[in-house]
Amino acid sequence: MARSLYEWLWQHEFWLPPGITWEDMQESEDTHYPQPRDLLLSIPFALILVVVRCAFERAIALPLSAKLGVRDKQRPKAQPNPVLETFYSTRCKNPKEGELLSLAKQCDLPVRKVEKWFRHRRNMDRPSLSKKFSEACWRFTFYIISFFTGLTVLYDKPWLWDHRECWTGYPQQPLQPSLFWYYMLELSFYWSLVFTLPFDVKRKDFKEQIVHHAATIFLISFSYCANYIRIGTLVMVIHDASDCFLEPTKIFNYMKWKRTCDSLFMIFSAVFLISRLVIYPYTVLYNTYYYSMEIFQPFFGYYFVNVLLMILQLLHVFWSCLIIHMVYKFILQGTMDKDMRSDTEESDKDEERDKIREKEKNGITCFSNVTSNGYIQRNGSEPLDNRAHRANGHAKER
């Protein structure tokens, strides 16, 4: 059954243009074409990248964060409580009001203390600033290496300058060793991100990140198997261009270098919007949708790769909206707004709420004092301060 499924999945009608079969893609001593089995190498390479990342973060990123003054915020620890800990780990991390009342009765604690315990416990699970710094350093290092590797590999390739060259001789385009290793580098990195996803810093666009990684892996894998190597290299270089500015922006933000962070953010915004909303649609989408039709008629693989590319474009639009909103805030306020993808410390929010409540209470006290003074005045008497002031005035006149 597995063999029949394999034969059905790899029918040449699905993945190759009309008139081309897998027999036409047979390798020789001088000519090599992409083979699906080559993609299996990306798994051990991804595991190697995970090991390299762990070593990099411990040996380089963490000591660097300490030297650059990145300090983790001191968070109050939740007091040991077996009942609350069991509820937190097995049922819910953010209980509702009814559940808080029930837990308060079980622990014989005020509801406010139970709510505070859960807030502190959630903050204990949040990543520290040094972890965020280390993660940004690793990604920045990789994106710089990957971007300049892509430029080096593609600099002398004709399809970088003339996009119609992506389809010249397709699909019988020999695989060059430099392109193979560039593909393995990118695919292994995204597999490593999938492996470390449960341990990485979780942001508000966590689901979009999963969709992005899945679409990227599928796109890279499919473009390799169907020999869309040339168009795939363009996609990877375009994506790495803006990421080279995103990670250092985060790094300087963690270091509290506000002006440098704001400047890099504006550069990143310009590069991202131009590369993802202008260059990518013209260089990739228009290229695959229209230029490819000059060589062959539509087939399943043609529609499949265009769907994957459109998914990436929709994600580009989603992130562009977030970036434009942050730029708008920057223009109005003169400083960069916090990353809307990141979660803030709950204790900060609650401290602000507590301060507001205290101010409101003080406001009520002051209001009651004012109204009481007004009541005295309406009854014909005066406050002591006014009477003393007037007495002193009479004494001076005398």
Side-chain angles (χ1 to χ4, degrees):
M1 182 177 179
R3 183 176 180 82
S4 60
L5 178 62
Y6 178 84
E7 292 177 353
W8 174 84
L9 179 63
W10 292 106
Q11 295 182 64
H12 62 84
E13 292 87 357
F14 289 168
W15 310 111
L16 298 176
I20 304 294
T21 64
W22 291 117
E23 295 179 355
D24 300 322
M25 302 292 295
Q26 293 296 324
E27 294 184 337
S28 63
E29 294 183 0
D30 301 328
T31 304
H32 298 281
Y33 295 111
Q35 300 296 328
R37 63 177 178 270
D38 298 339
L39 298 177
L40 296 176
L41 292 174
S42 63
I43 303 300
F45 288 159
L47 296 176
I48 293 174
L49 280 179
V50 172
V51 174
V52 173
R53 172 182 175 177
C54 293
F56 174 86
E57 291 183 352
R58 291 187 178 185
I60 299 177
L62 284 177
L64 184 63
S65 67
K67 289 184 178 180
L68 294 177
V70 178
R71 297 287 183 267
D72 293 331
K73 185 176 182 179
Q74 295 296 327
R75 299 169 178 169
K77 295 183 178 180
Q79 297 297 324
N81 191 310
V83 176
L84 299 181
E85 185 65 35
T86 302
F87 186 93
Y88 179 87
S89 58
T90 59
R91 293 189 58 185
C92 178
K93 296 183 178 181
N94 196 357
K96 298 180 181 178
E97 186 175 355
E99 294 171 331
L100 288 173
L101 291 173
S102 176
L103 290 170
K105 290 181 181 179
Q106 294 180 37
C107 300
D108 193 20
L109 293 172
V111 177
R112 187 172 181 81
K113 284 192 175 182
V114 175
E115 185 180 6
K116 186 177 182 180
W117 186 94
F118 276 94
R119 185 171 68 245
H120 290 170
R121 184 66 181 83
R122 286 192 295 268
N123 284 336
M124 288 172 61
D125 288 343
R126 294 181 186 276
S128 62
L129 199 62
S130 59
K131 177 176 175 56
K132 294 180 181 180
F133 180 90
S134 301
E135 182 179 314
C137 283
W138 165 251
R139 292 179 185 245
F140 171 65
T141 303
F142 176 84
Y143 287 135
I144 284 291
I145 295 173
S146 178
F147 178 66
F148 284 101
T149 299
L151 290 181
T152 303
V153 169
L154 297 177
Y155 180 77
D156 58 345
K157 302 301 185 294
W159 63 86
L160 179 63
W161 314 105
D162 184 4
H163 305 320
R164 282 186 170 86
E165 289 292 327
C166 290
W167 312 108
T168 301
Y170 179 82
Q172 296 171 310
Q173 297 171 338
L175 176 62
Q176 302 176 17
S178 59
L179 298 178
F180 168 78
W181 289 112
Y182 181 44
Y183 251 75
M184 286 298 106
L185 178 66
E186 290 280 351
L187 184 58
S188 301
F189 175 71
Y190 282 102
W191 271 121
S192 70
L193 291 183
V194 172
F195 295 157
T196 59
L197 202 58
F199 312 103
D200 288 342
V201 177
K202 288 183 175 62
R203 303 183 185 277
K204 294 180 181 180
D205 61 345
F206 180 74
K207 295 180 180 179
E208 288 79 6
Q209 278 187 319
I210 295 176
V211 175
H212 175 269
H213 296 341
T216 303
I217 290 172
F218 275 118
L219 180 59
I220 294 176
S221 302
F222 170 73
S223 64
Y224 185 86
C225 295
N227 206 10
Y228 283 104
I229 298 290
R230 297 184 178 183
I231 198 70
T233 53
L234 295 178
V235 173
M236 292 187 292
V237 167
I238 291 172
H239 278 72
D240 290 340
S242 59
D243 292 332
C244 292
F245 294 97
L246 174 61
E247 300 307 326
T249 302
K250 296 178 183 178
I251 291 173
F252 285 108
N253 183 39
Y254 302 146
M255 293 168 55
K256 311 291 185 187
W257 291 25
K258 206 63 180 170
R259 292 185 179 179
T260 307
C261 175
D262 292 346
S263 301
L264 282 174
F265 173 74
M266 296 304 293
I267 296 173
F268 159 75
S269 301
V271 174
F272 185 95
L273 296 176
I274 293 173
S275 62
R276 306 293 179 93
L277 299 184
V278 179
I279 297 177
Y280 178 84
Y282 172 72
T283 304
V284 177
L285 295 182
Y286 188 81
N287 191 3
T288 56
Y289 193 79
Y290 289 104
Y291 287 166
S292 60
M293 291 297 95
E294 298 177 0
I295 307 298
F296 51 78
Q297 295 298 316
F299 60 103
F300 175 79
Y302 162 82
Y303 294 112
F304 188 71
V305 73
N306 276 283
V307 168
L308 291 176
L309 293 173
M310 285 303 301
I311 291 175
L312 285 181
Q313 182 60 21
L314 292 176
L315 291 171
H316 296 165
V317 173
F318 169 78
W319 282 313
S320 296
C321 292
L322 293 181
I323 291 172
I324 292 172
H325 185 267
M326 295 175 71
V327 171
Y328 177 74
K329 289 282 188 180
F330 177 83
I331 294 174
L332 289 183
Q333 300 177 0
T335 182
M336 189 182 72
D337 196 9
K338 62 183 179 182
D339 187 359
M340 291 180 292
R341 299 169 57 215
S342 301
D343 291 330
T344 56
E345 294 278 343
E346 291 186 73
S347 58
D348 294 340
K349 296 179 182 178
D350 290 330
E351 284 177 6
E352 291 178 2
R353 274 197 218 108
D354 293 340
K355 289 179 181 179
I356 292 173
R357 287 173 183 170
E358 290 178 2
K359 288 181 180 179
E360 288 177 351
K361 290 180 181 179
N362 294 334
I364 292 172
T365 304
C366 293
F367 178 75
S368 62
N369 291 336
V370 171
T371 53
S372 62
N373 290 336
Y375 177 77
I376 293 173
Q377 290 175 2
R378 283 195 299 270
N379 283 284
S381 59
E382 295 178 341
L384 294 174
D385 293 342
N386 291 344
R387 280 183 287 178
H389 178 73
R390 289 187 180 183
N392 292 334
H394 291 308
K396 287 180 179 180
E397 287 178 0
R398 291 175 185 174

